[in-house]
């Protein structure tokens, strides 16, 4: 007899799953039954929130869905925050959970890990939440859970399997339903190409949905002579190019570039305020002649576009290129991009420019690295202005949903996805304390992750915001641990350095001489509120 739990492992393998992140429990024993035989790698975090963030980091680097396997009740609720982060950043994450026996659901009888409505709770965050009520429903549930990863804007999905169903004999097929992304109408493709070919000052806005379309994006930008503004999740897609503007479209310098254009092509970007209005002005940059490429029809409907093009970025950009003439009129693209870059770098101010210098030095010293961040000063600076040398190699949770504690587990997931790549996690001392135990997962898995903790002994950004609002600063100075002894307890090498490029690079390069994870503490100046 093949049980539902065994069939689950087989069908995950069939769909290309090679890794799951999970903490087993009594409510998932049957879901683990076929895992070892399947050959799927199991990585054990220290908290279910870590499982979700690891799945997120894995998905961003591998391009495949990240899988988290958790128990019912607290296991599922602990993954809701990672699910929300994945939804904000369009990251394909599947959360598999157990749930109590079918006969007990919704009755409030006090069973272990019981929730009033776990399915409904997950459905409030997930794009799709499936309840497998009978053994023959597993394949259909998996099809529906995997569909958003291909057919629309990806994000988190969820499947729950009751204890009695997981142990039952499986009844059903094993084949996955073929999935295809939407395709834009050819007439609209031709109209978009004609409009862009006739533009005098085109600009391209690239979001996270464009990070796998770097070749096509570069060709299109060069054909149109169009500057390419990259949101946080698109950094690196056109690295060190004369047309690259690796700066936040919330900056006035970048807004001017956008508003002075006569055609805006927005590719794989939701046009959300955390990218385009982070200073909460209540306005978006004006976008003349907006042509929008997005895999999600719902996203296209949320913002008016002169020409909406539903479809996957690479395929759609290729179709546009095929309709363009071999050469188009010059649009002074490099000069416009250079003016925007210089003005944006000036706009972020001297303190953030100093942080960007550290990031530039890290990138140049460790080429091709994955820079994974939490909410901390260098990450804030880089999100405003930073150009990375690897598409998809710069990502963090200091935008979108903004979940603290993301950096450490997401960096671990990234390293699992690409073990040959050097991974550097940049976290503040405050955010790191949300997920420090996850470093032991990197120890267990012998992952080459450098955990760089920017220690300014508190929540500096929040303290500054309270002070700017004339609110007395309280609650922003949690004591950090002794990182020397912390590293010793993890059994990993430790270094301490000053917050300047030379010192940080020296520490990182020394750390990389030995295999496995490392911890580096960067002693940044602590924030001191002004005395009234």
């Amino acid at each position: 007899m093949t049980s539902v739990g065994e069939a689950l492992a087989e069908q995950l393998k069939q769909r290309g799953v090679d890794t799951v992140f999970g903490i087993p429990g009594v409510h998932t024993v049957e879901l683990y039954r076929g895992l070892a035989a399947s050959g799927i790698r199991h990585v054990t975090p220290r908290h279910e929130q870590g499982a979700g963030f690891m799945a997120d980091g894995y998905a961003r680097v591998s391009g495949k869905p990240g899988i988290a396997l958790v128990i019912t009740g607290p296991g599922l609720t602990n993954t809701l925050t990672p699910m929300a982060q994945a939804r904000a950043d369009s990251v394909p994450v599947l959360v598999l959970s157990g749930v109590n026996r079918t006969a007990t659901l919704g009755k409030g009888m006090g069973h272990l890990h019981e929730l009033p409505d776990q399915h409904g709770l997950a459905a409030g965050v997930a794009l799709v939440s499936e309840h497998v009520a009978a053994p023959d429903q597993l394949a259909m549930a998996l099809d529906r859970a995997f569909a958003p990863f291909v057919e629309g804007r990806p994000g988190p999905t969820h499947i729950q399997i009751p204890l009695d169903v997981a142990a039952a004999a499986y009844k059903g097929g094993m084949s996955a339903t073929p999935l295809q992304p939407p395709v834009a109408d050819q007439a609209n493709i031709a109209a978009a190409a004609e409009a862009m070919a006739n533009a005098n000052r085109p600009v391209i806005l690239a979001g996270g949905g464009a990070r796998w379309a770097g070749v096509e994006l570069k060709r299109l930008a060069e054909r149109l002579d169009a500057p390419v503004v990259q949101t946080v999740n698109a950094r690196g897609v056109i690295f060190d190019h004369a047309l690259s503007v690796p700066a936040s479209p919330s900056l006035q310098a970048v807004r001017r570039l956008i508003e002075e254009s006569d055609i805006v092509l927005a590719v794989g970007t939701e046009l959300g305020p955390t990218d385009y209005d982070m200073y909460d002005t209540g306005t978006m940059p004006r976008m003349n002649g907006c042509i929008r490429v997005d895999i999600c029809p719902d996203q296209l409907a949320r913002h008016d576009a002169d020409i909406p093009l539903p479809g996957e970025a690479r395929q759609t950009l290729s179709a546009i290129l095929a309709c363009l003439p071999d050469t188009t009129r010059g649009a002074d693209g490099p000069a416009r991009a250079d003016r925007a870059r210089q003005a944006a770098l000036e706009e972020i101010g001297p303190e953030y420019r100093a942080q960007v210098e550290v990031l530039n030095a890290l990138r140049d010293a460790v080429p091709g690295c994955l820079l994974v961040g939490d909410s901390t000063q260098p990450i804030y600076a880089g999100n405003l202005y930073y150009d990375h040398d690897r598409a998809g190699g710069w990502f963090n949770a200091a935008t979108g949903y903004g979940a603290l504690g993301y950096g450490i587990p997401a960096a671990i997931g990234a390293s699992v996805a690409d073990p040959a790549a050097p991974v550097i996690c940049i976290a503040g001392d405050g955010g790191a304390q949300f997920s420090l135990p996850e470093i032991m997962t990197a120890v267990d898995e012998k992952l080459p992750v450098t955990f760089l903790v920017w220690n300014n002994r508190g929540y500096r950004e929040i303290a500054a915001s309270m002070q700017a609002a004339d609110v007395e600063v309280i609650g922003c100075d949690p004591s950090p641990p002794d990182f020397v002894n912390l590293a010793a307890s993890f059994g990993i090498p430790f270094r301490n350095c000053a917050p300047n490029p030379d010192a940080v690079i020296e520490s990182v390069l020394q750390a990389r001489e030995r295999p496995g994870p490392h911890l580096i503490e960067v002693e940044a100046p602590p924030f001191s509120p002004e005395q009234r």
Side-chain angles (χ1 to χ4, degrees), residues 153-424:
R153 182 190 183 203
T157 62
H158 167 248
I159 297 174
Q160 67 175 25
I161 304 176
L163 290 169
D164 52 313
V165 175
Y170 179 63
K171 301 173 183 176
M174 290 288 185
S175 60
T177 301
L179 303 172
Q180 296 293 331
V183 178
D185 180 78
Q186 186 59 37
N188 282 349
I189 292 282
E194 181 180 8
M196 286 185 277
N198 293 325
N200 294 310
R201 296 178 307 281
V203 162
I204 299 173
L205 308 179
R211 66 184 178 275
W212 303 106
V215 171
E216 294 78 9
L217 187 70
K218 180 180 176 182
R219 287 178 55 206
L220 182 60
E222 291 173 345
R223 186 84 60 88
L224 298 174
D225 203 19
V228 180
V229 176
Q230 297 130 70
T231 67
V232 169
N233 287 326
R235 300 293 172 80
V237 76
I238 185 170
F239 171 64
D240 197 27
H241 194 285
L243 293 171
S244 176
V245 182
S248 170
S250 292
L251 295 170
Q252 289 302 314
V254 183
R255 284 187 163 214
R256 282 195 298 272
L257 172 68
I258 296 169
E259 293 185 345
E260 289 171 358
S261 67
D262 55 354
I263 285 287
V264 172
L265 172 63
V267 183
T269 172
E270 68 175 348
L271 303 177
T274 56
D275 279 315
Y276 291 84
D277 188 29
M278 64 173 293
Y279 297 111
D280 198 23
T281 67
T283 63
M284 294 281 287
R286 186 180 66 257
M287 299 182 188
N288 299 308
C290 183
I291 300 167
R292 194 164 178 215
V293 176
D294 202 288
I295 199 169
C296 178
D298 291 340
Q299 277 294 325
L300 289 174
R302 289 186 185 121
H303 294 276
D304 290 334
D306 293 76
I307 304 177
L309 300 175
E312 184 267 336
R314 179 184 293 175
Q315 181 181 14
T316 307
L317 295 183
S318 293
I320 292 172
L321 280 161
C323 291
L324 283 171
D326 291 338
T327 59
T328 57
R329 66 184 69 187
D332 199 27
R336 289 188 293 137
D338 185 60
R339 286 194 295 270
R341 286 194 301 266
Q342 292 190 42
L345 190 58
E346 179 66 24
E347 187 178 335
I348 68 174
E351 186 174 2
Y352 273 174
R353 283 197 296 275
Q355 308 274 7
V356 171
E357 288 180 10
V358 173
L359 297 174
N360 289 340
L362 277 172
R363 176 199 63 211
D364 296 342
V366 191
C369 72
L370 298 167
L371 273 177
V372 184
D374 217 309
S375 293
T376 190
Q377 294 295 304
I379 299 300
Y380 299 143
N383 283 352
L384 285 175
Y385 190 104
Y386 171 66
D387 195 10
H388 197 55
D389 66 351
R390 173 175 175 163
W394 167 268
F395 60 90
N396 56 79
T399 184
Y401 194 63
L404 275 169
Y406 171 88
I408 290 173
I412 291 169
S415 188
V416 170
D418 187 355
V423 180
I424 300 173

Side-chain angles (χ1 to χ4, degrees), residues 426-449:
I426 303 177
D429 59 295
Q433 290 184 74
F434 279 54
S435 52
L436 279 171
E438 302 301 346
I439 291 177
M440 286 305 300
T441 302
V443 174
D444 288 348
E445 300 293 328
K446 300 178 176 59
L447 300 174
V449 182

Side-chain angles (χ1 to χ4, degrees), residues 463-484:
S465 297
M466 294 175 76
Q467 186 171 277
D470 198 30
V471 173
E472 185 174 353
V473 177
I474 58 173
C476 293
D477 55 353
S479 298
D482 181 332
F483 287 104
V484 178

Side-chain angles (χ1 to χ4, degrees), residues 412 415 419 421-424 439 441-451 490-495 508 510-520:
I412 291 169
S415 188
V423 180
I424 300 173
I439 291 177
T441 302
V443 174
D444 288 348
E445 300 293 328
K446 300 178 176 59
L447 300 174
V449 182
T450 299
F451 298 100
F490 291 152
I492 63 176
F494 172 82
R495 285 171 179 80
V508 169
Q510 288 178 354
R512 295 194 64 232
E513 292 176 358
R514 294 179 58 180
H518 302 78
L519 181 62
I520 297 173

